[in-house]
Structures are given as C-alpha cells and as structure tokens.
Amino acid sequence: MAATSTTNFSIGSATSASSKLGPLSQSKAFRIRFNSTNYLRSFNGLKTANSASCESKSVFLGSESSAALKRSYISKARKDNKRSYSCVQLQASYKVAVLGASGGIGQPLALLIKMSPLVSALHLYDIANVKGVAADLSHCNTPSQVLDFTGASELAACLKGVNVVVIPAGVPRKPGMTRDDLFNINANIVKTLVEAVADNCPDAFIHIISNPVNSTVPIAAEVLKQKGVYDPKKLFGVTTLDVVRANTFVAQKKNLKLIDVDVPVIGGHAGITILPLLSKTKPSVTFTDEEVQELTVRIQNAGTEVVEAKAGAGSATLSMAYAAARFVESSLRALDGDSDVYECSFVESDLTELPFFASRVKLGRNGVEALISSDLQGLTEYEQKALEALKPELKASIEKGVAFLQKQPVTA
C-alpha cells in the first residue's frame, strides 16, 4: 500500500460583515490538510470523507469557506421545509469562461477555478495553444467539464450560457514598450472580447483583469452601453491582488497570523491609485508613521517588485491568478445564494465624485448589492491626503478608457 502523504494548503477565502454593513470582519485564507487515501473526496468538494459529520471540504475553498457554502444550502433547505438538511451535498452548477486561458495568468487561474466545487463547466478561450491547456486540466479529477475554444470563430460558442466571464487576456509591458503601446493593445483586446460577451452572455458577471484596469473597466462599460446591455452591478475590475498583498505584507510586518488579517484597499489598481486603508486593518493594530509609509509604497509597487525579482522575464502571474480565483469563488458563492460575501473591487461607484472606484462591495445573485461606505469614514490624515492625491490620476485613466471607445465605436 502506498505511503500516505500530507500537504498543507493556504488557499481560498471567505469574508463577512455585520448585518448593518458596519465594521467588517476579516477576510481569511483557510488551510486544510488532506492525504492520498481520501484525496478524491476532499478535493472535489461534493462528497465528504465522513458522511456522519457532513463536513464538505475543498482544497480550493478551505474548511471554513466550504462551511459557508454548506450553510447557504442548509438555509435553502430550511426555507423549502425540507427535513433532511443536516447533510447537504454541494452541487456544481455554474459555467465559467476564461478568456486568455493559455497565458501566464490564464493557465494557473484555470487550474484554480477547476478546483472549485461550484463549477460544472470551465470554458477556456485563447487565440492559440488552448487545446493543450484544456487537455491537461481535463485530467484533474474535479467535477467541472473542460472545453477549449480557439480563435474568433469559436468565441461565441465559448460564451453561450456562461455565468461568469474572466478576462486576463492581454500582454504585459515589455522592454521598449511605452504605456501607450500597452494601453492600445490591451484596450482593443478587451473591446473585442466584451463585444462578444454582450452578444452571447449579457447577464454574466464580467471580471476584468487585463491592465490597465483603471481604463479597461470603463472601456468594457462603454462597450456594454453601446450594445444596450450594460448592468453596472455585474462589471468588476479585479483588484483582489492589492488586498492579498496588503494582508500578506501587514501580517509579515506585525507578526500576525495571516488567516486573521484583513486590509481594505480602495481607489484604483495602479501605482498611487492603490490605497490600502491600514487604519481599518482587522484585527486592530497600531502602525508608526514610518510603517504606514513603507507598507503603502510597497503595496503600491508590489508588481514592480515581482518584475524585478523575475529579472524582466515575467510579471505577477501566479499571485494574480490566485487573487482572481478568490474573486471568482466569491462571485460563485454570491450567485449561489450566500448572503455574506464581501470583496474589494473596481466598480461603478458613487462613493466619490469619480464614476468608478475600488472599494469593498457586498455581492449577491445580481452582482453588487451594496457599496461599503463605512471604510471611507474616519480616515487618518495620511489616508485622506492620499485619497485626494490619487483622484486626478484615476480620473485621467477613466477618461482615457471612455475616450478610446468614443473613437472606436463597437461593431453592431
């Protein structure tokens, strides 16, 4: 008999808030242990290793987040007056499409989504090399079926009936490439893909990862408006990586358990537009002025930290994939009826004078249910000044995205 191996994972998250949307309890990354003898049962999240306890587990979600999923099913059973709700089986029932699935972010992101117990079908799209990625992932013994789609002629088929669309497609900035070069390439990619989303799955949640997010989200919004299907509650700029980094760096700096740390991050998703609200850190912790300055700058420049560590050979792909998978899982939980799902995201907003703004939001079946304004109240002097300082740059980025679409209207 093969020896039993044990592996630690720290992956997945769940967030919560008070019923009054007041101070929010911390986001958490959860650890579970599994061994080779019950690998299948713990991995797929649908059948439990111990039917008596009915503890549904998933490597991706972690035990506590899986418990949140279970609670949502129990609640449904109670509402339906079902007697046997103590042993609820999760059902994979959502379709997710990753557009740009063979890229540096797309591949690890697809793997993490494949691990979700809520996904029934995973559609992978790219202009090349996606068949091999799909074939590889299809061997993973998790519930979702993997289908591949290559090139513009197969994009519509990829999107039919999809509940969540994730767009990491685009190119990273390379040596000799100006920011305008990067913008023009990725703006056209996002425009084309969102046009297809509007035509084939207009009710889907749309997660924009392609940079610059501060501009590509407004581009996506303008495309959807011109197509007549814009729902601001269902369009998200994925800024979860800023939260993930803030939580990690603060935990390291203050010697805290990472599982307990939650730092809201507001503003945008580039440079000084990224504003971690360290004064709102949970659990409550004190920072010196020097620590606030050091941590804020590190969080804002963390992407450059990775690029330099990779010696120009790549950018932040793995951490971005992890963060995006966390946001996908949160969206799926919300779609599935979990009423306690909160994440930070760059969305249409009225919290400031800017039309788009990253803040913590409550997610529900129809997308954004509420913007959490309490995070912006009682800021420190440093944070208030930083908030005012980021607004001109964020405003310019938003306007750049809108102007791009005005010059290049969508195809009918």
Side-chain angles (χ1 to χ4, degrees), residues 102 136 214:
S102 64
D136 198 356
N214 293 351

Side-chain angles (χ1 to χ4, degrees), residues 376-390:
L376 274 68
Q377 298 168 5
L379 300 181
T380 66
E381 182 180 358
Y382 178 91
E383 289 166 346
Q384 191 62 52
K385 287 182 178 178
L387 174 57
E388 295 307 314
L390 71 81

Side-chain angles (χ1 to χ4, degrees), residues 94-97 159-166 193-207 224 227-236 331-332 334-335 364-368:
Y94 297 98
K95 295 182 180 181
V96 178
L159 294 169
K160 292 293 185 184
V162 166
N163 303 106
V164 177
V165 179
V166 193
L193 295 177
V194 175
E195 285 176 358
V197 173
D199 290 338
N200 296 283
C201 55
D203 293 328
F205 283 19
I206 306 172
H207 296 183
L224 296 168
K227 287 282 190 177
V229 295
Y230 179 49
D231 184 347
K233 295 180 179 181
K234 295 183 177 181
L235 176 62
F236 306 91
S331 294
L332 294 173
L335 282 167
R365 281 197 171 100
N366 296 316
V368 177

Side-chain angles (χ1 to χ4, degrees), residues 97-113:
V98 179
L99 309 185
S102 64
I105 295 171
Q107 290 196 44
L109 173 57
L111 172 61
L112 293 174
I113 294 174

Side-chain angles (χ1 to χ4, degrees), residues 163-367:
N163 303 106
V164 177
V165 179
V166 193
I167 306 180
V171 298
R173 189 177 175 188
K174 300 174 182 177
M177 181 184 290
T178 67
R179 292 189 181 276
D180 282 340
D181 292 336
L182 177 65
F183 171 82
N184 288 327
I185 294 171
N186 286 352
N188 275 296
I189 291 172
V190 170
K191 172 181 175 290
T192 300
L193 295 177
V194 175
E195 285 176 358
V197 173
D199 290 338
N200 296 283
C201 55
D203 293 328
F205 283 19
I206 306 172
H207 296 183
I208 304 292
I209 298 173
S210 308
N211 276 319
V213 166
N214 293 351
S215 297
T216 53
V217 171
I219 287 171
E222 290 301 308
V223 170
L224 296 168
K225 287 176 185 177
Q226 291 185 30
K227 287 282 190 177
V229 295
Y230 179 49
D231 184 347
K233 295 180 179 181
K234 295 183 177 181
L235 176 62
F236 306 91
V238 180
T239 62
T240 317
L241 180 53
D242 301 324
V243 177
V244 167
R245 286 166 166 165
N247 292 350
T248 301
F249 299 163
V250 166
Q252 292 171 346
K253 187 72 174 178
K254 307 305 285 188
N255 196 29
L256 301 172
K257 290 183 179 179
L258 183 56
I259 195 172
D260 295 329
V261 178
D262 178 37
V263 183
V265 182
I266 65 170
H269 187 55
I272 67 164
T273 70
I274 300 168
L275 179 55
L277 299 181
L278 297 173
S279 69
K280 306 288 184 177
T281 298
K282 302 295 181 184
S284 182
V285 63
T286 301
F287 299 94
T288 65
D289 291 345
E290 291 76 16
E291 286 174 332
V292 169
Q293 173 70 17
E294 177 189 343
L295 284 167
T296 299
V297 171
R298 188 184 179 198
I299 293 163
Q300 290 173 339
N301 296 329
T304 300
E305 182 177 313
V306 174
V307 170
E308 291 177 350
K310 291 185 176 182
S315 57
T317 54
L318 300 177
S319 55
M320 182 66 249
Y322 165 80
R326 163 178 155 166
F327 194 80
V328 169
E329 192 68 26
S330 291
S331 294
L332 294 173
R333 285 173 50 209
L335 282 167
D336 203 52
D338 191 332
S339 61
D340 196 29
V341 183
Y342 295 80
E343 288 285 358
C344 289
S345 183
F346 187 63
V347 298
E348 182 173 305
S349 174
D350 60 3
L351 294 184
T352 70
E353 64 273 24
L354 299 171
F356 292 89
F357 192 78
S359 68
R360 201 187 307 254
V361 302
K362 180 180 182 181
L363 299 174
R365 281 197 171 100
N366 296 316

